[in-house]
Amino acid sequence: MDDAVAELFDAVQRLHDEDVTVVTSVRLSSSLREAVKAAVKAGMDANPNDAMLNAVRDRLEAFTQRLALDIHYERYPDARPSLAEIAIAAAQLDDSSLAHDHNLLRRAADEVVRVKPDADADDVLVYAAALQAALDPTSPTAAAS
Amino acid sequence: MVLDNEAVQALLDPTHRKHRAVLAHLEVRNQRQRGRRMNIRVLVPVAVRVEAGWDRTAATAADINRISAAVDVDLRRGGADRAVQLRQATEVSVVDATVGHAAESGTHPAVILTSDVDDMSRLAGTLEGDVRVVGI
C-alpha cells in the first residue's frame, strides 16, 4: 500500500471523531454557489457549509471504501462476492419480492453483463424485474410497471 | 444498516462462512453511494464491538475498519434507557437491545444485518420507525 493510500485510510477513520475545524478556501463557480444556496433553501441541508461538507465526506467515504474492498479482494480473492450475490443482497436490503428468487437473479446477473459489462446490482434488479414480468405477467414487478 | 455480532464476526474473519455474504451487502452500499443513488450509513453499536472483539486500534482490525466504513453508535444515557426498555419488552440480550437502539437512532428505513433473524425480528417489531431484518 502506498503512503498516500495509507494516509487516506488514516484520515477517513477520523472523520466521525470530534475534530477541530479549519477555514479553507475553495474556488467555486458562481452557478454552483447559487445552486447550493438554492438547494439549502429547498431543504437539502441546514446550510451551504453542511451541504459542501456532506458532499465531500460522502465521496471520500465511497472512494476509500472502494479502495479498501479492492485491496481486500487482492489478498483474499475468494472473498469477492459475485454480481448475483450482490444483487441478492440489494434485493434483501430493498425488501424486494425478487429477494426470494435467487435463480432469477443469477440468470439476470449472467445476462445483463452481456449488454452492460460494468453492470452493478441495481442493473441486475431492473433486468430481473423485466424478466419476471415477461415470464409471469401477474408478478408483483409486472403489476408495478 | 446496523451490524450485529455475527455480521461483525464474519467481517473480521476472511475464512468465516458468511464473510462474502456480509461483503455483498457492503458492496451494495458502496455501489449506491458511488452512484449517488442512495446514502446508506453502516452503524455498529459499541456493545457489539465489545462482544465481537473489534478493537479499532488493533492491527488485526485494519481491514474491517476500512471495508465496513461503519460508524460507532455510542450508548449515552438516553440510549441506555431505551436499550433497557427494549430488553425488558423482548427479553433479548443486552447487546441485541443496543442493536435495537442503534436501528431506531439511525435514518430510516433501517436494516439490521444479523444471523439471528427470529430474535431480531421480534425485536424489530417493537421498534419505532421502519426497521427490517435481513439474514446473512
PDB file of all heavy atoms in Angstrom, chain A residues 13 58-59 62 65-66 72-73 75 78-79 85 92-94 120-122, chain B residues 19-20 25 27-33 36-37 39 63 65-67 132:
ATOM      1  N   GLN A  13     -10.667   7.408   8.818  1.00  0.00           N
ATOM      2  CA  GLN A  13     -11.057   6.802  10.088  1.00  0.00           C
ATOM      3  C   GLN A  13     -11.436   7.859  11.120  1.00  0.00           C
ATOM      4  O   GLN A  13     -12.218   7.599  12.020  1.00  0.00           O
ATOM      5  CB  GLN A  13      -9.908   5.951  10.651  1.00  0.00           C
ATOM      6  CG  GLN A  13      -9.711   4.633   9.949  1.00  0.00           C
ATOM      7  CD  GLN A  13     -10.925   3.729  10.060  1.00  0.00           C
ATOM      8  OE1 GLN A  13     -11.399   3.468  11.154  1.00  0.00           O
ATOM      9  NE2 GLN A  13     -11.439   3.285   8.933  1.00  0.00           N
ATOM     10  N   ASP A  58     -19.211  12.222   1.709  1.00  0.00           N
ATOM     11  CA  ASP A  58     -19.803  11.047   1.042  1.00  0.00           C
ATOM     12  C   ASP A  58     -18.887  10.523  -0.060  1.00  0.00           C
ATOM     13  O   ASP A  58     -18.701   9.318  -0.219  1.00  0.00           O
ATOM     14  CB  ASP A  58     -21.172  11.407   0.447  1.00  0.00           C
ATOM     15  CG  ASP A  58     -22.219  11.616   1.530  1.00  0.00           C
ATOM     16  OD1 ASP A  58     -21.940  11.287   2.697  1.00  0.00           O
ATOM     17  OD2 ASP A  58     -23.306  12.124   1.202  1.00  0.00           O
ATOM     18  N   ARG A  59     -18.304  11.422  -0.828  1.00  0.00           N
ATOM     19  CA  ARG A  59     -17.404  10.992  -1.918  1.00  0.00           C
ATOM     20  C   ARG A  59     -16.148  10.338  -1.351  1.00  0.00           C
ATOM     21  O   ARG A  59     -15.684   9.320  -1.844  1.00  0.00           O
ATOM     22  CB  ARG A  59     -16.993  12.194  -2.788  1.00  0.00           C
ATOM     23  CG  ARG A  59     -18.062  12.641  -3.747  1.00  0.00           C
ATOM     24  CD  ARG A  59     -17.456  13.401  -4.906  1.00  0.00           C
ATOM     25  NE  ARG A  59     -16.745  12.515  -5.816  1.00  0.00           N
ATOM     26  CZ  ARG A  59     -15.775  12.903  -6.636  1.00  0.00           C
ATOM     27  NH1 ARG A  59     -15.379  14.156  -6.647  1.00  0.00           N
ATOM     28  NH2 ARG A  59     -15.197  12.056  -7.445  1.00  0.00           N
ATOM     29  N   ALA A  62     -17.013   6.827   0.007  1.00  0.00           N
ATOM     30  CA  ALA A  62     -17.264   5.848  -1.058  1.00  0.00           C
ATOM     31  C   ALA A  62     -15.967   5.473  -1.765  1.00  0.00           C
ATOM     32  O   ALA A  62     -15.702   4.298  -2.026  1.00  0.00           O
ATOM     33  CB  ALA A  62     -18.275   6.413  -2.052  1.00  0.00           C
ATOM     34  N   GLN A  65     -13.786   3.372   0.692  1.00  0.00           N
ATOM     35  CA  GLN A  65     -14.307   2.016   0.885  1.00  0.00           C
ATOM     36  C   GLN A  65     -14.031   1.167  -0.357  1.00  0.00           C
ATOM     37  O   GLN A  65     -13.686  -0.011  -0.247  1.00  0.00           O
ATOM     38  CB  GLN A  65     -15.807   2.045   1.176  1.00  0.00           C
ATOM     39  CG  GLN A  65     -16.341   0.657   1.542  1.00  0.00           C
ATOM     40  CD  GLN A  65     -17.833   0.639   1.759  1.00  0.00           C
ATOM     41  OE1 GLN A  65     -18.588   1.335   1.079  1.00  0.00           O
ATOM     42  NE2 GLN A  65     -18.285  -0.144   2.735  1.00  0.00           N
ATOM     43  N   ARG A  66     -14.169   1.772  -1.545  1.00  0.00           N
ATOM     44  CA  ARG A  66     -13.881   1.027  -2.777  1.00  0.00           C
ATOM     45  C   ARG A  66     -12.423   0.562  -2.806  1.00  0.00           C
ATOM     46  O   ARG A  66     -12.124  -0.583  -3.134  1.00  0.00           O
ATOM     47  CB  ARG A  66     -14.200   1.910  -3.992  1.00  0.00           C
ATOM     48  CG  ARG A  66     -14.017   1.288  -5.349  1.00  0.00           C
ATOM     49  CD  ARG A  66     -15.114   0.276  -5.673  1.00  0.00           C
ATOM     50  NE  ARG A  66     -14.715  -1.069  -5.329  1.00  0.00           N
ATOM     51  CZ  ARG A  66     -15.569  -2.029  -4.931  1.00  0.00           C
ATOM     52  NH1 ARG A  66     -16.848  -1.810  -4.810  1.00  0.00           N
ATOM     53  NH2 ARG A  66     -15.139  -3.235  -4.640  1.00  0.00           N
ATOM     54  N   HIS A  72      -8.677  -5.643  -0.230  1.00  0.00           N
ATOM     55  CA  HIS A  72      -9.082  -6.859   0.490  1.00  0.00           C
ATOM     56  C   HIS A  72      -9.225  -8.032  -0.487  1.00  0.00           C
ATOM     57  O   HIS A  72      -8.776  -9.142  -0.200  1.00  0.00           O
ATOM     58  CB  HIS A  72     -10.406  -6.586   1.203  1.00  0.00           C
ATOM     59  CG  HIS A  72     -10.850  -7.683   2.123  1.00  0.00           C
ATOM     60  ND1 HIS A  72     -10.213  -7.965   3.314  1.00  0.00           N
ATOM     61  CD2 HIS A  72     -11.866  -8.581   2.034  1.00  0.00           C
ATOM     62  CE1 HIS A  72     -10.820  -8.979   3.912  1.00  0.00           C
ATOM     63  NE2 HIS A  72     -11.829  -9.377   3.153  1.00  0.00           N
ATOM     64  N   TYR A  73      -9.835  -7.785  -1.650  1.00  0.00           N
ATOM     65  CA  TYR A  73     -10.033  -8.864  -2.627  1.00  0.00           C
ATOM     66  C   TYR A  73      -8.704  -9.308  -3.258  1.00  0.00           C
ATOM     67  O   TYR A  73      -8.576 -10.443  -3.688  1.00  0.00           O
ATOM     68  CB  TYR A  73     -11.008  -8.435  -3.727  1.00  0.00           C
ATOM     69  CG  TYR A  73     -12.391  -8.079  -3.230  1.00  0.00           C
ATOM     70  CD1 TYR A  73     -13.129  -7.068  -3.845  1.00  0.00           C
ATOM     71  CD2 TYR A  73     -12.970  -8.744  -2.150  1.00  0.00           C
ATOM     72  CE1 TYR A  73     -14.394  -6.732  -3.396  1.00  0.00           C
ATOM     73  CE2 TYR A  73     -14.233  -8.401  -1.691  1.00  0.00           C
ATOM     74  CZ  TYR A  73     -14.939  -7.396  -2.316  1.00  0.00           C
ATOM     75  OH  TYR A  73     -16.190  -7.058  -1.872  1.00  0.00           O
ATOM     76  N   ARG A  75      -5.992  -9.606  -1.593  1.00  0.00           N
ATOM     77  CA  ARG A  75      -5.416 -10.520  -0.600  1.00  0.00           C
ATOM     78  C   ARG A  75      -6.252 -11.785  -0.431  1.00  0.00           C
ATOM     79  O   ARG A  75      -5.730 -12.843  -0.142  1.00  0.00           O
ATOM     80  CB  ARG A  75      -5.282  -9.806   0.746  1.00  0.00           C
ATOM     81  CG  ARG A  75      -4.198  -8.729   0.731  1.00  0.00           C
ATOM     82  CD  ARG A  75      -4.236  -7.869   1.977  1.00  0.00           C
ATOM     83  NE  ARG A  75      -4.100  -8.637   3.198  1.00  0.00           N
ATOM     84  CZ  ARG A  75      -4.585  -8.239   4.377  1.00  0.00           C
ATOM     85  NH1 ARG A  75      -5.248  -7.105   4.486  1.00  0.00           N
ATOM     86  NH2 ARG A  75      -4.404  -8.971   5.445  1.00  0.00           N
ATOM     87  N   ASP A  78     -11.102 -15.159  -2.905  1.00  0.00           N
ATOM     88  CA  ASP A  78     -12.355 -15.906  -2.723  1.00  0.00           C
ATOM     89  C   ASP A  78     -13.414 -15.106  -1.970  1.00  0.00           C
ATOM     90  O   ASP A  78     -14.580 -15.513  -1.916  1.00  0.00           O
ATOM     91  CB  ASP A  78     -12.084 -17.214  -1.961  1.00  0.00           C
ATOM     92  CG  ASP A  78     -11.273 -18.183  -2.790  1.00  0.00           C
ATOM     93  OD1 ASP A  78     -11.218 -18.000  -4.020  1.00  0.00           O
ATOM     94  OD2 ASP A  78     -10.686 -19.119  -2.206  1.00  0.00           O
ATOM     95  N   ALA A  79     -13.000 -13.991  -1.371  1.00  0.00           N
ATOM     96  CA  ALA A  79     -13.958 -13.199  -0.591  1.00  0.00           C
ATOM     97  C   ALA A  79     -14.831 -12.319  -1.482  1.00  0.00           C
ATOM     98  O   ALA A  79     -15.870 -11.825  -1.036  1.00  0.00           O
ATOM     99  CB  ALA A  79     -13.205 -12.313   0.403  1.00  0.00           C
ATOM    100  N   GLU A  85     -24.595 -12.383  -6.190  1.00  0.00           N
ATOM    101  CA  GLU A  85     -24.676 -12.304  -4.724  1.00  0.00           C
ATOM    102  C   GLU A  85     -24.932 -10.867  -4.262  1.00  0.00           C
ATOM    103  O   GLU A  85     -25.682 -10.628  -3.312  1.00  0.00           O
ATOM    104  CB  GLU A  85     -23.371 -12.835  -4.102  1.00  0.00           C
ATOM    105  CG  GLU A  85     -23.227 -14.351  -4.210  1.00  0.00           C
ATOM    106  CD  GLU A  85     -21.858 -14.852  -3.778  1.00  0.00           C
ATOM    107  OE1 GLU A  85     -20.849 -14.143  -4.025  1.00  0.00           O
ATOM    108  OE2 GLU A  85     -21.784 -15.949  -3.230  1.00  0.00           O
ATOM    109  N   GLN A  92     -32.549  -7.914  -0.903  1.00  0.00           N
ATOM    110  CA  GLN A  92     -32.893  -8.075   0.519  1.00  0.00           C
ATOM    111  C   GLN A  92     -32.967  -6.728   1.215  1.00  0.00           C
ATOM    112  O   GLN A  92     -33.889  -6.462   1.989  1.00  0.00           O
ATOM    113  CB  GLN A  92     -31.844  -8.954   1.203  1.00  0.00           C
ATOM    114  CG  GLN A  92     -31.892 -10.411   0.766  1.00  0.00           C
ATOM    115  CD  GLN A  92     -30.717 -11.213   1.306  1.00  0.00           C
ATOM    116  OE1 GLN A  92     -29.651 -10.667   1.602  1.00  0.00           O
ATOM    117  NE2 GLN A  92     -30.912 -12.509   1.443  1.00  0.00           N
ATOM    118  N   LEU A  93     -31.997  -5.874   0.937  1.00  0.00           N
ATOM    119  CA  LEU A  93     -31.988  -4.557   1.587  1.00  0.00           C
ATOM    120  C   LEU A  93     -33.212  -3.740   1.172  1.00  0.00           C
ATOM    121  O   LEU A  93     -33.741  -2.956   1.959  1.00  0.00           O
ATOM    122  CB  LEU A  93     -30.712  -3.794   1.224  1.00  0.00           C
ATOM    123  CG  LEU A  93     -29.422  -4.325   1.847  1.00  0.00           C
ATOM    124  CD1 LEU A  93     -28.206  -3.569   1.308  1.00  0.00           C
ATOM    125  CD2 LEU A  93     -29.457  -4.218   3.370  1.00  0.00           C
ATOM    126  N   ASP A  94     -33.666  -3.940  -0.076  1.00  0.00           N
ATOM    127  CA  ASP A  94     -34.822  -3.188  -0.580  1.00  0.00           C
ATOM    128  C   ASP A  94     -36.150  -3.837  -0.200  1.00  0.00           C
ATOM    129  O   ASP A  94     -37.206  -3.287  -0.513  1.00  0.00           O
ATOM    130  CB  ASP A  94     -34.762  -3.096  -2.111  1.00  0.00           C
ATOM    131  CG  ASP A  94     -33.589  -2.255  -2.593  1.00  0.00           C
ATOM    132  OD1 ASP A  94     -32.973  -1.571  -1.757  1.00  0.00           O
ATOM    133  OD2 ASP A  94     -33.294  -2.302  -3.809  1.00  0.00           O
ATOM    134  N   ASP A 120     -24.041  -3.102 -12.373  1.00  0.00           N
ATOM    135  CA  ASP A 120     -23.982  -3.261 -10.926  1.00  0.00           C
ATOM    136  C   ASP A 120     -25.279  -3.910 -10.435  1.00  0.00           C
ATOM    137  O   ASP A 120     -26.133  -4.313 -11.246  1.00  0.00           O
ATOM    138  CB  ASP A 120     -23.684  -1.937 -10.218  1.00  0.00           C
ATOM    139  CG  ASP A 120     -24.799  -0.918 -10.340  1.00  0.00           C
ATOM    140  OD1 ASP A 120     -25.913  -1.290 -10.755  1.00  0.00           O
ATOM    141  OD2 ASP A 120     -24.552   0.252 -10.015  1.00  0.00           O
ATOM    142  N   ALA A 121     -25.420  -4.000  -9.130  1.00  0.00           N
ATOM    143  CA  ALA A 121     -26.553  -4.741  -8.556  1.00  0.00           C
ATOM    144  C   ALA A 121     -27.892  -4.155  -8.982  1.00  0.00           C
ATOM    145  O   ALA A 121     -28.847  -4.895  -9.236  1.00  0.00           O
ATOM    146  CB  ALA A 121     -26.430  -4.742  -7.032  1.00  0.00           C
ATOM    147  N   ASP A 122     -27.979  -2.841  -9.052  1.00  0.00           N
ATOM    148  CA  ASP A 122     -29.257  -2.238  -9.432  1.00  0.00           C
ATOM    149  C   ASP A 122     -29.609  -2.529 -10.889  1.00  0.00           C
ATOM    150  O   ASP A 122     -30.789  -2.660 -11.230  1.00  0.00           O
ATOM    151  CB  ASP A 122     -29.233  -0.733  -9.158  1.00  0.00           C
ATOM    152  CG  ASP A 122     -29.330  -0.438  -7.666  1.00  0.00           C
ATOM    153  OD1 ASP A 122     -29.994  -1.217  -6.951  1.00  0.00           O
ATOM    154  OD2 ASP A 122     -28.741   0.552  -7.213  1.00  0.00           O
TER     155      ASP A 122
ATOM    156  N   HIS B  19     -18.544 -14.465   5.451  1.00  0.00           N
ATOM    157  CA  HIS B  19     -17.743 -13.281   5.101  1.00  0.00           C
ATOM    158  C   HIS B  19     -18.220 -12.659   3.781  1.00  0.00           C
ATOM    159  O   HIS B  19     -18.473 -11.454   3.697  1.00  0.00           O
ATOM    160  CB  HIS B  19     -16.274 -13.695   5.007  1.00  0.00           C
ATOM    161  CG  HIS B  19     -15.308 -12.567   4.834  1.00  0.00           C
ATOM    162  ND1 HIS B  19     -15.077 -11.627   5.811  1.00  0.00           N
ATOM    163  CD2 HIS B  19     -14.516 -12.224   3.790  1.00  0.00           C
ATOM    164  CE1 HIS B  19     -14.180 -10.755   5.384  1.00  0.00           C
ATOM    165  NE2 HIS B  19     -13.829 -11.094   4.153  1.00  0.00           N
ATOM    166  N   ARG B  20     -18.358 -13.494   2.766  1.00  0.00           N
ATOM    167  CA  ARG B  20     -18.791 -12.981   1.450  1.00  0.00           C
ATOM    168  C   ARG B  20     -20.188 -12.390   1.517  1.00  0.00           C
ATOM    169  O   ARG B  20     -20.479 -11.387   0.854  1.00  0.00           O
ATOM    170  CB  ARG B  20     -18.797 -14.110   0.418  1.00  0.00           C
ATOM    171  CG  ARG B  20     -17.475 -14.317  -0.273  1.00  0.00           C
ATOM    172  CD  ARG B  20     -17.468 -15.644  -0.957  1.00  0.00           C
ATOM    173  NE  ARG B  20     -18.475 -15.741  -1.999  1.00  0.00           N
ATOM    174  CZ  ARG B  20     -18.182 -15.968  -3.274  1.00  0.00           C
ATOM    175  NH1 ARG B  20     -16.924 -16.086  -3.628  1.00  0.00           N
ATOM    176  NH2 ARG B  20     -19.132 -16.077  -4.161  1.00  0.00           N
ATOM    177  N   HIS B  25     -23.398  -7.152   1.021  1.00  0.00           N
ATOM    178  CA  HIS B  25     -24.211  -6.017   1.483  1.00  0.00           C
ATOM    179  C   HIS B  25     -23.403  -4.724   1.495  1.00  0.00           C
ATOM    180  O   HIS B  25     -23.919  -3.662   1.172  1.00  0.00           O
ATOM    181  CB  HIS B  25     -24.797  -6.319   2.858  1.00  0.00           C
ATOM    182  CG  HIS B  25     -25.895  -7.336   2.816  1.00  0.00           C
ATOM    183  ND1 HIS B  25     -25.648  -8.689   2.852  1.00  0.00           N
ATOM    184  CD2 HIS B  25     -27.235  -7.212   2.689  1.00  0.00           C
ATOM    185  CE1 HIS B  25     -26.802  -9.350   2.755  1.00  0.00           C
ATOM    186  NE2 HIS B  25     -27.771  -8.474   2.665  1.00  0.00           N
ATOM    187  N   GLU B  27     -21.009  -4.114  -0.531  1.00  0.00           N
ATOM    188  CA  GLU B  27     -20.855  -3.745  -1.941  1.00  0.00           C
ATOM    189  C   GLU B  27     -22.076  -2.956  -2.419  1.00  0.00           C
ATOM    190  O   GLU B  27     -21.931  -1.996  -3.187  1.00  0.00           O
ATOM    191  CB  GLU B  27     -20.667  -4.991  -2.812  1.00  0.00           C
ATOM    192  CG  GLU B  27     -19.271  -5.590  -2.750  1.00  0.00           C
ATOM    193  CD  GLU B  27     -18.248  -4.777  -3.536  1.00  0.00           C
ATOM    194  OE1 GLU B  27     -18.621  -3.828  -4.230  1.00  0.00           O
ATOM    195  OE2 GLU B  27     -17.048  -5.110  -3.438  1.00  0.00           O
ATOM    196  N   VAL B  28     -23.257  -3.350  -1.986  1.00  0.00           N
ATOM    197  CA  VAL B  28     -24.466  -2.599  -2.360  1.00  0.00           C
ATOM    198  C   VAL B  28     -24.339  -1.166  -1.852  1.00  0.00           C
ATOM    199  O   VAL B  28     -24.603  -0.198  -2.580  1.00  0.00           O
ATOM    200  CB  VAL B  28     -25.737  -3.253  -1.770  1.00  0.00           C
ATOM    201  CG1 VAL B  28     -26.957  -2.393  -2.094  1.00  0.00           C
ATOM    202  CG2 VAL B  28     -25.917  -4.662  -2.301  1.00  0.00           C
ATOM    203  N   ARG B  29     -23.912  -1.063  -0.621  1.00  0.00           N
ATOM    204  CA  ARG B  29     -23.739   0.281  -0.032  1.00  0.00           C
ATOM    205  C   ARG B  29     -22.763   1.092  -0.873  1.00  0.00           C
ATOM    206  O   ARG B  29     -23.018   2.250  -1.204  1.00  0.00           O
ATOM    207  CB  ARG B  29     -23.222   0.124   1.403  1.00  0.00           C
ATOM    208  CG  ARG B  29     -23.129   1.411   2.189  1.00  0.00           C
ATOM    209  CD  ARG B  29     -21.734   1.934   2.274  1.00  0.00           C
ATOM    210  NE  ARG B  29     -21.696   3.117   3.127  1.00  0.00           N
ATOM    211  CZ  ARG B  29     -20.631   3.896   3.265  1.00  0.00           C
ATOM    212  NH1 ARG B  29     -19.521   3.617   2.612  1.00  0.00           N
ATOM    213  NH2 ARG B  29     -20.669   4.943   4.041  1.00  0.00           N
ATOM    214  N   ASN B  30     -21.644   0.463  -1.250  1.00  0.00           N
ATOM    215  CA  ASN B  30     -20.623   1.205  -1.982  1.00  0.00           C
ATOM    216  C   ASN B  30     -21.099   1.569  -3.387  1.00  0.00           C
ATOM    217  O   ASN B  30     -20.894   2.700  -3.844  1.00  0.00           O
ATOM    218  CB  ASN B  30     -19.334   0.374  -2.047  1.00  0.00           C
ATOM    219  CG  ASN B  30     -18.188   1.170  -2.627  1.00  0.00           C
ATOM    220  OD1 ASN B  30     -17.881   1.041  -3.805  1.00  0.00           O
ATOM    221  ND2 ASN B  30     -17.576   2.032  -1.836  1.00  0.00           N
ATOM    222  N   GLN B  31     -21.746   0.621  -4.058  1.00  0.00           N
ATOM    223  CA  GLN B  31     -22.219   0.903  -5.421  1.00  0.00           C
ATOM    224  C   GLN B  31     -23.234   2.044  -5.424  1.00  0.00           C
ATOM    225  O   GLN B  31     -23.200   2.923  -6.289  1.00  0.00           O
ATOM    226  CB  GLN B  31     -22.852  -0.353  -6.029  1.00  0.00           C
ATOM    227  CG  GLN B  31     -21.831  -1.438  -6.348  1.00  0.00           C
ATOM    228  CD  GLN B  31     -22.467  -2.673  -6.967  1.00  0.00           C
ATOM    229  OE1 GLN B  31     -23.680  -2.758  -7.172  1.00  0.00           O
ATOM    230  NE2 GLN B  31     -21.634  -3.661  -7.274  1.00  0.00           N
ATOM    231  N   ARG B  32     -24.122   2.021  -4.459  1.00  0.00           N
ATOM    232  CA  ARG B  32     -25.166   3.057  -4.438  1.00  0.00           C
ATOM    233  C   ARG B  32     -24.605   4.402  -4.000  1.00  0.00           C
ATOM    234  O   ARG B  32     -25.050   5.447  -4.470  1.00  0.00           O
ATOM    235  CB  ARG B  32     -26.327   2.617  -3.539  1.00  0.00           C
ATOM    236  CG  ARG B  32     -27.107   1.484  -4.181  1.00  0.00           C
ATOM    237  CD  ARG B  32     -28.278   1.019  -3.371  1.00  0.00           C
ATOM    238  NE  ARG B  32     -29.079   0.085  -4.161  1.00  0.00           N
ATOM    239  CZ  ARG B  32     -30.073  -0.649  -3.676  1.00  0.00           C
ATOM    240  NH1 ARG B  32     -30.387  -0.566  -2.398  1.00  0.00           N
ATOM    241  NH2 ARG B  32     -30.743  -1.458  -4.464  1.00  0.00           N
ATOM    242  N   GLN B  33     -23.635   4.379  -3.118  1.00  0.00           N
ATOM    243  CA  GLN B  33     -23.053   5.652  -2.681  1.00  0.00           C
ATOM    244  C   GLN B  33     -22.193   6.257  -3.788  1.00  0.00           C
ATOM    245  O   GLN B  33     -22.238   7.457  -4.032  1.00  0.00           O
ATOM    246  CB  GLN B  33     -22.213   5.449  -1.415  1.00  0.00           C
ATOM    247  CG  GLN B  33     -21.755   6.771  -0.803  1.00  0.00           C
ATOM    248  CD  GLN B  33     -21.784   6.754   0.708  1.00  0.00           C
ATOM    249  OE1 GLN B  33     -22.270   5.815   1.309  1.00  0.00           O
ATOM    250  NE2 GLN B  33     -21.274   7.790   1.335  1.00  0.00           N
ATOM    251  N   ARG B  36     -24.277   7.745  -6.292  1.00  0.00           N
ATOM    252  CA  ARG B  36     -25.086   8.815  -5.681  1.00  0.00           C
ATOM    253  C   ARG B  36     -26.576   8.528  -5.791  1.00  0.00           C
ATOM    254  O   ARG B  36     -27.383   9.426  -5.962  1.00  0.00           O
ATOM    255  CB  ARG B  36     -24.752  10.171  -6.298  1.00  0.00           C
ATOM    256  CG  ARG B  36     -23.274  10.482  -6.139  1.00  0.00           C
ATOM    257  CD  ARG B  36     -22.941  11.927  -6.408  1.00  0.00           C
ATOM    258  NE  ARG B  36     -21.504  12.063  -6.423  1.00  0.00           N
ATOM    259  CZ  ARG B  36     -20.787  12.376  -7.486  1.00  0.00           C
ATOM    260  NH1 ARG B  36     -21.392  12.634  -8.625  1.00  0.00           N
ATOM    261  NH2 ARG B  36     -19.490  12.454  -7.422  1.00  0.00           N
ATOM    262  N   ARG B  37     -26.910   7.229  -5.716  1.00  0.00           N
ATOM    263  CA  ARG B  37     -28.314   6.870  -5.762  1.00  0.00           C
ATOM    264  C   ARG B  37     -28.900   6.809  -4.360  1.00  0.00           C
ATOM    265  O   ARG B  37     -30.076   7.030  -4.159  1.00  0.00           O
ATOM    266  CB  ARG B  37     -28.492   5.492  -6.432  1.00  0.00           C
ATOM    267  CG  ARG B  37     -28.465   5.564  -7.926  1.00  0.00           C
ATOM    268  CD  ARG B  37     -28.220   4.203  -8.511  1.00  0.00           C
ATOM    269  NE  ARG B  37     -26.818   3.882  -8.451  1.00  0.00           N
ATOM    270  CZ  ARG B  37     -26.297   2.707  -8.810  1.00  0.00           C
ATOM    271  NH1 ARG B  37     -27.073   1.753  -9.221  1.00  0.00           N
ATOM    272  NH2 ARG B  37     -25.014   2.506  -8.747  1.00  0.00           N
ATOM    273  N   ASN B  39     -27.587   7.057   0.042  1.00  0.00           N
ATOM    274  CA  ASN B  39     -26.526   7.119   1.031  1.00  0.00           C
ATOM    275  C   ASN B  39     -26.877   6.168   2.170  1.00  0.00           C
ATOM    276  O   ASN B  39     -27.725   6.481   2.991  1.00  0.00           O
ATOM    277  CB  ASN B  39     -26.377   8.564   1.540  1.00  0.00           C
ATOM    278  CG  ASN B  39     -25.142   8.734   2.390  1.00  0.00           C
ATOM    279  OD1 ASN B  39     -24.422   7.764   2.646  1.00  0.00           O
ATOM    280  ND2 ASN B  39     -24.888   9.941   2.836  1.00  0.00           N
ATOM    281  N   ASP B  63      -8.452  -4.062   8.410  1.00  0.00           N
ATOM    282  CA  ASP B  63      -9.323  -4.364   7.268  1.00  0.00           C
ATOM    283  C   ASP B  63     -10.777  -3.999   7.551  1.00  0.00           C
ATOM    284  O   ASP B  63     -11.433  -3.350   6.748  1.00  0.00           O
ATOM    285  CB  ASP B  63      -9.230  -5.854   6.910  1.00  0.00           C
ATOM    286  CG  ASP B  63      -8.172  -6.110   5.847  1.00  0.00           C
ATOM    287  OD1 ASP B  63      -7.374  -5.192   5.580  1.00  0.00           O
ATOM    288  OD2 ASP B  63      -8.152  -7.222   5.288  1.00  0.00           O
ATOM    289  N   ASN B  65     -12.010  -2.006   9.755  1.00  0.00           N
ATOM    290  CA  ASN B  65     -12.173  -0.553   9.893  1.00  0.00           C
ATOM    291  C   ASN B  65     -12.417   0.091   8.534  1.00  0.00           C
ATOM    292  O   ASN B  65     -13.248   0.978   8.395  1.00  0.00           O
ATOM    293  CB  ASN B  65     -10.915   0.069  10.496  1.00  0.00           C
ATOM    294  CG  ASN B  65     -10.738  -0.255  11.966  1.00  0.00           C
ATOM    295  OD1 ASN B  65     -11.670  -0.691  12.642  1.00  0.00           O
ATOM    296  ND2 ASN B  65      -9.522  -0.047  12.471  1.00  0.00           N
ATOM    297  N   ARG B  66     -11.665  -0.386   7.524  1.00  0.00           N
ATOM    298  CA  ARG B  66     -11.695   0.262   6.214  1.00  0.00           C
ATOM    299  C   ARG B  66     -12.844  -0.239   5.345  1.00  0.00           C
ATOM    300  O   ARG B  66     -13.521   0.548   4.687  1.00  0.00           O
ATOM    301  CB  ARG B  66     -10.370   0.014   5.498  1.00  0.00           C
ATOM    302  CG  ARG B  66      -9.195   0.651   6.199  1.00  0.00           C
ATOM    303  CD  ARG B  66      -7.887   0.064   5.715  1.00  0.00           C
ATOM    304  NE  ARG B  66      -6.755   0.606   6.455  1.00  0.00           N
ATOM    305  CZ  ARG B  66      -5.548   0.063   6.440  1.00  0.00           C
ATOM    306  NH1 ARG B  66      -5.312  -1.021   5.724  1.00  0.00           N
ATOM    307  NH2 ARG B  66      -4.575   0.606   7.145  1.00  0.00           N
ATOM    308  N   ILE B  67     -13.050  -1.559   5.330  1.00  0.00           N
ATOM    309  CA  ILE B  67     -14.049  -2.077   4.387  1.00  0.00           C
ATOM    310  C   ILE B  67     -15.472  -1.886   4.883  1.00  0.00           C
ATOM    311  O   ILE B  67     -16.391  -1.812   4.077  1.00  0.00           O
ATOM    312  CB  ILE B  67     -13.805  -3.568   4.036  1.00  0.00           C
ATOM    313  CG1 ILE B  67     -13.934  -4.466   5.260  1.00  0.00           C
ATOM    314  CG2 ILE B  67     -12.464  -3.754   3.370  1.00  0.00           C
ATOM    315  CD1 ILE B  67     -13.723  -5.951   4.940  1.00  0.00           C
ATOM    316  N   ARG B 132     -36.245  -3.169   9.427  1.00  0.00           N
ATOM    317  CA  ARG B 132     -36.403  -4.530   8.935  1.00  0.00           C
ATOM    318  C   ARG B 132     -35.173  -5.358   9.296  1.00  0.00           C
ATOM    319  O   ARG B 132     -34.131  -4.802   9.648  1.00  0.00           O
ATOM    320  CB  ARG B 132     -36.619  -4.539   7.425  1.00  0.00           C
ATOM    321  CG  ARG B 132     -37.983  -4.001   7.018  1.00  0.00           C
ATOM    322  CD  ARG B 132     -38.224  -4.122   5.544  1.00  0.00           C
ATOM    323  NE  ARG B 132     -37.298  -3.319   4.768  1.00  0.00           N
ATOM    324  CZ  ARG B 132     -36.238  -3.791   4.115  1.00  0.00           C
ATOM    325  NH1 ARG B 132     -35.945  -5.076   4.148  1.00  0.00           N
ATOM    326  NH2 ARG B 132     -35.455  -2.976   3.437  1.00  0.00           N
TER     327      ARG B 132
END
